[in-house]
Amino acid sequence: MGFATAMSARSLQYYVIARRWSSDLEFFKIETAFFHRLMDDYFIRLCDQAYFEQFKRTGTELLKLEEEGARAGVLLSQQLKHVELMAEDIIPENAEELAVKQVHLEHLMTNITRDYRDVKKSLFQLVENILKTTN
């Protein structure tokens, strides 16, 4: 991205943070694919009555997380494009509008990160319990 005009430090900071969040979402997508593979590999054992309810809940939470991640990805792309257009002086810099969107994105990403960790922990705990009972 070439900067045609001097943007405010805050707008530039928003851009850098949004890029980092986009990177986080890409990482979540990669790990989510791994989670699905893990669930597939242990599917039969996860369907056992002892694990099924937690497995179902974890799968539902993972699906919800993927949907939230996709929604956040769209919002982040819009935010990045907005800042890029400001930097190229195609649209005027509107720091207030940008700040409102950034705060919304920050809450969304904080929730996604927290939920992501919870799902990961739950899935790994399930698989660990299965491995303990089979050994």
Side-chain angles (χ1 to χ4, degrees):
M1 170 177 120
F3 291 93
T5 64
M7 286 189 351
S8 71
R10 179 155 320 262
S11 294
L12 184 57
Q13 181 182 25
Y14 290 160
Y15 181 82
V16 170
I17 292 169
R19 293 287 296 187
R20 187 185 75 227
W21 288 336
S22 289
S23 176
D24 290 347
L25 287 177
E26 283 302 312
F27 176 74
F28 291 165
K29 285 180 189 177
I30 292 167
E31 270 208 326
T32 299
F34 169 73
F35 295 161
H36 282 292
R37 173 87 187 264
L38 190 62
M39 290 166 61
D40 290 345
D41 288 349
Y42 289 93
F43 183 75
I44 299 297
R45 290 181 252 174
L46 287 167
C47 287
D48 184 87
Q49 191 174 17
Y51 307 109
F52 186 70
E53 285 305 315
Q54 187 179 358
F55 171 57
K56 188 169 78 170
R57 188 172 39 255
T58 301
T60 300
E61 290 170 0
L62 184 59
L63 178 61
K64 178 184 159 205
L65 188 57
E66 288 176 288
E67 291 169 351
E68 289 175 1
R71 186 174 58 122
V74 169
L75 294 174
L76 281 168
S77 291
Q78 291 171 350
Q79 181 81 329
L80 289 167
K81 185 67 176 171
H82 188 88
V83 175
E84 289 169 359
L85 291 173
M86 288 181 346
E88 294 171 4
D89 207 21
I90 295 172
I91 61 173
E93 184 171 357
N94 184 341
E96 291 173 18
E97 178 184 348
L98 208 55
V100 168
K101 290 179 183 178
Q102 193 76 12
V103 167
H104 175 71
L105 284 167
E106 185 171 351
H107 288 292
L108 186 59
M109 288 303 299
T110 298
N111 291 338
I112 288 172
T113 301
R114 183 197 63 235
D115 293 346
Y116 177 82
R117 288 178 181 151
D118 291 344
V119 167
K120 183 176 182 176
K121 186 175 164 183
S122 177
L123 181 58
F124 284 12
Q125 187 176 42
L126 264 172
V127 172
E128 182 180 35
N129 289 340
I130 287 172
L131 292 173
K132 284 180 182 177
T133 60
T134 58
N135 290 335

